[in-house]
Amino acid sequence: ANIEIDPNGYVAFCPCMGRFGNQADHYLGALGFAKQLDRTLILPPWVEYPYRSATSDQIPFKTYFEVDTIAEYHRVIPMETFMKELAPTIWPEGKRIGFCYRKDATSNECSMKNGNPFGPFWDKFKINFDGSQEYSPLSFSSHSGSLKAQWDKTFPASEFPVLAFAGAPASFPVEKHNLDLQRYFKWSKDIEEQANLFIIEELAEGPFVGIHLRHGLDWDNVCTHVDSSRHLFASPQCLGYFNEYGTVTKELCAPPKDVMKKQLKKIVKKIKAKAVFVATDSDAMINELQKAVKVKVVQRTPAEPHVDLAILAKSDHYIANCVSSFSSFAKRERDVYGKPTSFWAFTPK
Ligand code: GFB
């Protein structure tokens, strides 16, 4: 098929920070940015870090999400398609410029491919950069209406058909005005089917509560940073972007077991739940929780992050970790459909 070239140009980026939750936040922001600039967004693959592997994997966008649904919001093209069909004409070898806020002082270049996952990401498509372009003092934040005018003036599409960013042209956590873009991220058929199948087989007896347990070594480390900040990672999702509903606490990040049990019991009773679904990549506390709530408590093994999130999003009530960006993905999805979410160790003030 002949794919038309967008005269307004393209935005490319590497979702090079964090794992799925972080990348998803950046994805929402990048989509909002491309929309503002009225450039087509090149949908990069997701970056994954297989256990015990020294390098990263790149998983096509469509493995987890429907491309057509994103396209309902704005013009997009999967990176695989762009590189195969369009790059030879409009972004050929020899003309590939990497964009960064500041060049590396030593090399005087944008560090586009330094280290993992940066190198493997662009290498996946055999992309090397032929030049570097700083974009400071421009920014990605779309509060000001003139964002498009500023970028177009400095980097007109005729001269810069592809703005390829070293990181994502977006903030972490996702900015408030981009939250609702979540509605365009629809799980792929495969993920959706796996989630539905699990619900039919294990959670069909009645309402169920979905809970996300974010704990384990890596997370304990994160939670030691709470004292110095009003926000941590995804915490605006419960505290509000201006700390309207409180500040971050140790408990919010690492809720004690007895607090969790009490809170879960209350919700189970309130919605007359017949089961609890546990999503975690650590200890699922199945026996302990079962004793506390006296209904069936299940997890899906082996756990797959996207299927876990899809199930959490479908639960009748969801209890999330306010600090975790993984937690926040399902919270945003539920917001789109008006489904209730509460947070461990959090009562809005
Ligand atoms: O998604 P993520 O950026 O969210 O990283 P946080 C957490 C990863 O842990 C997920 C796995 O992408 C999954 O691979 N994981 C966490 C889970 N919870 C679950 C679960 O319930 N089910 C399954 N199957 N997998 C932060 C990172 O995590 O953690 C930071 O964003 C940093 O960059 C820090 O690494 C330690 O925001 O929760």
Side-chain angles (χ1 to χ4, degrees), residues 222-226 229-236 239 248 253 322-324:
V222 167
C223 299
T224 57
H225 295 292
V226 294
S229 45
R230 292 171 67 77
H231 273 309
L232 188 60
F233 290 178
S235 66
L239 301 177
V248 71
C253 187
C322 178
V323 177
S324 163

Side-chain angles (χ1 to χ4, degrees), residues 17-24 47-49 172 211-215 217-222 233-234 277-282 299-300 302-309 312 321 323-329:
M17 189 188 84
R19 288 182 282 168
F20 179 75
N22 281 205
Q23 292 177 37
V47 173
E48 292 185 1
Y49 302 87
F172 179 76
I211 65 175
H212 181 215
L213 304 184
R214 188 70 175 95
H215 50 206
L217 267 185
D218 65 334
W219 197 247
D220 291 346
N221 256 329
V222 167
F233 290 178
F277 169 70
V278 185
T280 187
D281 65 341
S282 185
Q299 86 179 122
R300 186 178 175 280
E304 201 288 326
H306 310 87
V307 179
D308 276 357
L309 282 173
L312 289 175
N321 183 305
V323 177
S324 163
S325 67
F326 186 85
S327 261
S328 76
F329 192 90

Side-chain angles (χ1 to χ4, degrees), residues 310-347:
I311 298 171
L312 289 175
K314 289 170 189 285
S315 65
D316 296 280
H317 190 100
Y318 172 40
I319 312 181
N321 183 305
C322 178
V323 177
S324 163
S325 67
F326 186 85
S327 261
S328 76
F329 192 90
K331 149 78 161 86
R332 283 193 306 266
E333 183 172 342
R334 298 173 64 81
D335 284 351
V336 170
Y337 304 106
K339 290 183 155 191
T341 300
S342 48
F343 298 91
W344 297 119
F346 175 73
T347 334

Side-chain angles (χ1 to χ4, degrees), residues 148-163:
K148 176 174 167 50
Q150 290 167 7
W151 279 85
D152 283 354
K153 189 165 163 241
T154 321
F155 304 115
S158 52
E159 208 180 317
F160 300 93
V162 178
L163 306 178

